[in-house]
Amino acid sequence: MVVGRCILVTTKCFRVTVRTYWSPVGSAFSVPQSKQFDIFDKNVGLFRVPELSTPAGFQITQDRALRDAEELVKKACSTPPGPETVRIFDQLSDCLCQVADLADFVKIAHPDPAFREAAEEACLSIGTIVEKLNTNVELCQILRQLLNDESCLNLLDAETRRVAELFMFDFEISGIHLDEEKRKKALDLNVKLLQLNNQFLAGCHLPNKIERRVLPVHVCHSFAQDGDYILVSGLNGDNPDEVVREIAYRIFLYPNAEQMRCLDELLACRNQLAQLVGYTSYGHRALQGTLARKPETVMEFLKKLSDKLSNRTAKDFNMMKGMKMKLNPRKPDLMPWDHPYYSGILRAERYNIEPSLYSPFFSLGSCMEGLNMLFSQLWGISLYAEQPKKGEVWSPDIRKLAVVHEKEGLLGYIYCDFFYRSNKPNQDCHFTIRGGRLKENGEYQVPLVVLMLGLPNPTRNSPTLLTPGMMENLFHEMGHAMHSMLGRTRYQHVTGTRCPTDFAEVPSILMEYFANDYRVVSQFARHYQTGQPLPKSMISRLCESKKVCAAADMQLQVFYSVLDQAYHAVHPLGKSTTEILKETQKIFYGLPYIQNTAWQLRFSHLVGYGAKYYSYLMSRAVATMVWKQCFMKNPFDRIMGERYRREMLGHGGGKEPMLMVKGMLQKCPTTEDFVDALVLDLDPDFESFFMDS
């Protein structure tokens, strides 16, 4: 319960004094949630939004946001240009984002279809309003007056000026400079894209079905069944039966005509919009303001990386092929459905990293304690479990964490939707529900985020036990969460993870390095029954196993990234998306294309990461450089932790991404630096090996 707040504006630290009932984070995740609400308890609504105690509340919050937006537009247009203009624009953005961001999460994660449907309607409605505002000429003119007036600009500090420029950029990419007829066309295209994005994303996850009678009897048990049909909802890449893997690959990736039409229309609309507002291609529009800045730089990066990976990738594929010949000599050719399976076999054989050997040491409670200890040492931050109120969460197994700084007080809240449930999306991700900002009354609006994982539920006899991969994913997503907590900007438009995509993944990928460092892991990895620490030799084997076939894994990511760039290059593309995939796969991957498959129709990242899928690789390059230069010597270095917060995390998107990287690394890395960082990171870590020995 918040009882008082004071603001230290001069240090940009917004202190929040808190008194509440908190419990240690480890114990909160070690046992099943047991709190039962009294039937007379008041329903506080999802995320403590009172109206959201029922699905109908979305209409109420949506209507209120639209009324508030109208008033703020009037206020912005009647206020003389100055710092207050930027604050009003940000307040306008915040009032809409608070509905849209929350709804964006609820529409995919809430178990109640009525809530999901109401949330989706709210998303489309608010999204349409945002696009209309981005073509509001009067609103744009107010901002342009501010940016064109030197005396006004001198009143803006660096962060305020950047936020103003980002708002102007939103106007420009929406076609504000066009005549009325073309602005209307741009608006219609943006609204249509909202619908196409939702449609394509839904189609990516739909299962394909086939009559059971046409499949070998012995494989049917590997798939879900619906009457006389078999449902294939994934690639089953880790199944030891090659027939199962091949069937899953061919059926799940079989082209769907409606999904193909949707993708073609989506790409065409993006290109049409980009060219309408003055860009050569959608890729050029999407990459404005990123680390890479333009598609040409991205392709230079990807081609150089592919060239340097070439020999390593060939060796990896030869190792996989050798293993396949050993285990299945009747079908020795390496196929696309073999890559994940045989790379896993090679890792397990070479380093004996059977997940069941590790899971007893990685109980969820101990992993959360490990994160808590790490954050305490790097930033003076502690995680505390807080009991949600009735109606605050969408499932009874949700844990709520308060993030508290030793001097600054409450930084924000993390809702942990960690456990598997039916109909829950099978993806690990971070959602911003509410961004942080300095409010008009001087209080700081603390951020709310959700982390969604798919971990096994605890049982009566055992807590939730994580595989090494699950543990690494937990650290990854928690990296996003801490970016949201520590990116405490004055403006919600640039708070936390609201930054260029190829920078946004840096904090999460950097956390993977902490998760793979034996000095960090040894702090918390204990057998859940005996308390025995995880032997250092096992940690070293686990870390080094990840280098096995890592070049081939990275080559696959290069292929996906190049494909994404090709789809968002200048149109008309000249060929079908399947033909482009086939050619790109041959050049940038190496394993054969399979006839009558269309992997691109399952490429869900084309929605959120359109023209920016390369971001994972470029962010990994930056994270690698930050780790090796700043944390590899001592992963608990408080001085480096504070520097990392000061130079990178603390700005959110309020500073040019390359300037943040330069501030942290004390140099401005080149494309070659990024490539070298990725390739050199594939080498065995002899320093770690000798330290362990």
Side-chain angles (χ1 to χ4, degrees):
M1 178 171 61
V2 178
V3 296
R5 294 171 177 165
C6 60
I7 303 165
L8 310 176
V9 179
T10 56
T11 61
K12 288 190 65 179
C13 294
F14 310 103
R15 184 183 176 96
V16 182
T17 305
V18 177
R19 291 178 192 152
T20 188
Y21 293 103
W22 284 332
S23 59
V25 67
S27 60
F29 288 88
S30 296
V31 295
Q33 193 100 307
S34 59
K35 171 72 175 178
Q36 297 296 319
F37 298 109
D38 190 287
I39 59 172
F40 298 108
D41 286 349
K42 180 182 178 182
N43 188 320
V44 300
L46 284 172
F47 300 103
R48 299 201 182 192
V49 178
E51 294 81 3
L52 297 184
S53 58
T54 67
F58 271 106
Q59 187 64 53
I60 299 172
T61 59
Q62 174 186 316
D63 291 344
R64 183 174 63 228
L66 297 184
R67 288 194 302 271
D68 291 346
E70 288 179 6
E71 291 301 314
L72 287 166
V73 169
K74 293 177 184 177
K75 187 176 180 180
C77 293
S78 62
T79 299
E84 180 68 6
T85 305
V86 182
R87 189 190 64 75
I88 296 171
F89 268 72
D90 190 67
Q91 190 180 354
L92 172 59
S93 173
D94 182 59
C95 88
L96 295 172
C97 284
Q98 283 205 41
V99 178
D101 290 343
L102 192 156
D104 203 40
F105 168 72
V106 171
K107 76 178 183 181
I108 69 166
H110 203 289
D112 185 341
F115 267 100
R116 294 199 302 269
E117 184 177 335
E120 183 156 359
E121 290 174 2
C123 279
L124 287 172
S125 177
I126 296 293
T128 301
I129 294 300
V130 169
E131 296 305 337
K132 286 182 179 178
L133 289 173
N134 284 339
T135 54
N136 184 311
V137 175
E138 186 179 7
L139 203 56
C140 178
Q141 286 175 344
I142 294 298
L143 193 62
R144 184 172 284 125
Q145 287 176 28
L146 171 65
L147 292 171
N148 289 342
D149 188 326
E150 195 66 32
S151 61
C152 288
L153 278 180
N154 290 335
L155 299 175
L156 308 184
D157 59 33
E159 183 181 53
T160 303
R161 180 168 181 166
R162 175 164 171 80
V163 171
E165 290 170 346
L166 289 172
F167 278 124
M168 180 56 72
F169 175 65
D170 289 338
F171 282 120
E172 291 171 349
I173 64 172
S174 296
I176 196 69
H177 54 288
L178 304 174
D179 60 42
E180 186 174 354
E181 181 181 348
K182 289 181 178 178
R183 281 202 309 275
K184 174 66 165 57
K185 187 175 182 180
L187 174 60
D188 291 342
L189 284 169
N190 272 311
V191 173
K192 186 176 183 180
L193 282 170
L194 289 173
Q195 299 167 341
L196 288 170
N197 284 338
N198 285 338
Q199 183 181 340
F200 182 76
L201 199 56
C204 285
H205 303 295
L206 288 177
N208 276 343
K209 64 181 183 179
I210 189 171
E211 290 185 76
R212 190 190 326 176
R213 63 181 178 82
V214 305
L215 296 182
V217 175
H218 80 279
V219 306
C220 291
H221 72 277
S222 298
F223 304 101
Q225 300 187 26
D226 180 17
D228 293 331
Y229 290 88
I230 295 295
L231 299 180
V232 182
S233 55
L235 295 176
N236 290 41
D238 58 353
N239 195 295
D241 189 332
E242 180 168 0
V243 177
V244 171
R245 296 198 308 275
E246 180 177 354
I247 287 173
Y249 191 94
R250 291 183 181 276
I251 295 175
F252 188 63
L253 299 184
Y254 190 81
N256 176 287
E258 181 61 24
Q259 183 77 340
M260 187 74 78
R261 183 205 61 77
C262 180
L263 176 59
D264 289 342
E265 192 172 2
L266 174 64
L267 296 177
C269 279
R270 285 178 175 175
N271 180 76
Q272 190 177 359
L273 175 62
Q275 294 189 338
L276 179 64
V277 299
Y279 290 92
T280 306
S281 69
Y282 182 80
H284 287 86
R285 178 180 185 263
L287 296 183
Q288 288 288 304
T290 63
L291 275 171
R293 293 184 177 273
K294 55 186 180 179
E296 292 80 6
T297 304
V298 174
M299 286 306 300
E300 178 191 8
F301 166 65
L302 295 172
K303 287 177 179 177
K304 287 183 176 180
L305 179 56
S306 186
D307 288 344
K308 288 209 170 183
L309 287 173
S310 179
N311 290 337
R312 294 169 184 257
T313 300
K315 290 178 181 178
D316 286 353
F317 282 148
N318 284 335
M319 283 197 301
M320 292 183 216
K321 187 172 182 179
M323 179 59 73
K324 185 173 183 180
M325 291 181 68
K326 177 180 174 182
L327 298 179
N328 190 7
R330 296 175 62 184
K331 289 187 174 182
D333 292 335
L334 196 65
M335 306 302 286
W337 51 79
D338 292 327
H339 179 160
Y341 177 70
Y342 285 107
S343 60
I345 290 291
L346 285 164
R347 292 184 188 106
E349 181 186 70
R350 185 170 297 184
Y351 289 100
N352 189 24
I353 53 162
E354 169 59 40
S356 63
L357 298 175
Y358 286 84
S359 291
F361 295 90
F362 292 144
S363 70
L364 178 56
S366 68
C367 291
M368 293 303 296
E369 280 294 352
L371 285 162
N372 195 35
M373 287 187 287
L374 179 62
F375 297 157
S376 176
Q377 292 176 80
L378 287 177
W379 302 303
I381 284 175
S382 297
L383 307 175
Y384 295 98
E386 181 177 310
Q387 182 63 48
K389 298 291 186 181
K390 181 180 179 181
E392 183 177 356
V393 295
W394 50 102
S395 180
D397 57 3
I398 308 300
R399 270 58 162 190
K400 180 183 179 183
L401 298 181
V403 182
V404 183
H405 189 272
E406 61 190 9
K407 294 181 180 178
E408 298 166 35
L410 180 68
L411 299 183
Y413 290 103
I414 303 171
Y415 290 85
C416 300
D417 188 355
F418 281 177
F419 303 105
Y420 169 84
R421 62 178 178 270
S422 59
N423 297 322
K424 179 180 175 180
N426 183 27
Q427 58 189 94
D428 297 343
C429 46
H430 162 278
F431 294 87
T432 297
I433 303 301
R434 184 179 74 192
R437 72 182 182 100
L438 183 60
K439 297 196 291 186
E440 299 70 48
N441 62 5
E443 296 181 354
Y444 195 77
Q445 174 177 290
V446 298
L448 308 178
V449 304
V450 173
L451 295 188
M452 189 162 69
L453 306 174
L455 305 179
N457 285 279
T459 67
R460 287 185 178 182
N461 301 319
S462 168
T464 293
L465 302 178
L466 279 58
T467 64
M470 292 174 182
M471 184 270 285
E472 184 177 284
N473 287 349
L474 171 63
F475 272 63
H476 177 103
E477 298 305 333
M478 195 59 80
H480 285 307
M482 297 316 294
H483 195 183
S484 291
M485 297 298 115
L486 293 171
R488 291 172 68 78
T489 56
R490 278 174 292 164
Y491 304 102
Q492 75 83 36
H493 194 63
V494 293
T495 188
T497 58
R498 299 196 203 280
C499 59
T501 309
D502 54 7
F503 182 81
E505 293 296 330
V506 172
S508 54
I509 294 174
L510 181 60
M511 282 299 295
E512 295 176 18
Y513 285 90
F514 287 97
N516 287 292
D517 187 281
Y518 78 86
R519 293 162 294 181
V520 175
V521 176
S522 63
Q523 293 276 311
F524 66 87
R526 298 286 187 276
H527 197 286
Y528 78 101
Q529 290 175 317
T530 66
Q532 174 191 356
L534 181 64
K536 288 184 178 179
S537 59
M538 288 181 67
I539 300 174
S540 294
R541 291 205 309 271
L542 178 63
C543 294
E544 288 310 299
S545 72
K546 295 178 182 180
K547 305 293 178 71
V548 177
C549 298
D553 294 343
M554 189 174 288
Q555 188 72 57
L556 182 60
Q557 294 301 307
V558 172
F559 159 48
Y560 294 159
S561 300
V562 174
L563 183 66
D564 176 41
Q565 290 298 305
Y567 286 162
H568 293 101
V570 179
H571 283 228
L573 296 176
K575 299 174 183 177
S576 72
T577 56
T578 301
E579 289 173 319
I580 292 171
L581 180 143
K582 184 177 180 179
E583 291 180 2
T584 306
Q585 184 167 335
K586 182 178 180 180
I587 298 170
F588 288 96
Y589 185 34
L591 297 187
Y593 165 76
I594 304 301
Q595 285 298 122
N596 296 317
T597 64
W599 179 85
Q600 74 274 21
L601 302 185
R602 301 291 185 177
F603 195 4
S604 60
H605 280 81
L606 287 175
V607 172
Y609 282 71
K612 294 182 284 191
Y613 190 81
Y614 77 92
S615 296
Y616 287 107
L617 288 168
M618 191 163 282
S619 289
R620 181 167 293 280
V622 175
T624 300
M625 298 167 80
V626 171
W627 170 258
K628 290 186 175 179
Q629 183 173 318
C630 305
F631 292 108
M632 189 166 74
K633 184 177 180 180
N634 177 10
F636 309 110
D637 190 332
R638 180 66 178 265
I639 294 176
M640 279 298 176
E642 294 295 348
R643 176 173 152 190
Y644 177 43
R645 178 183 182 182
R646 183 177 65 252
E647 297 291 348
M648 295 183 78
L649 297 178
H651 298 288
K655 191 174 181 180
E656 288 279 351
M658 188 58 81
L659 292 178
M660 290 190 274
V661 174
K662 182 180 179 181
M664 189 67 194
L665 298 177
Q666 300 296 296
K667 64 173 285 190
C668 190
T670 64
T671 299
E672 288 75 15
D673 291 331
F674 289 147
V675 170
D676 289 343
L678 289 171
V679 174
L680 292 175
D681 197 46
L682 299 174
D683 292 333
D685 189 352
F686 292 111
E687 181 178 354
S688 175
F689 176 79
F690 287 126
M691 288 174 71
D692 179 50
S693 300

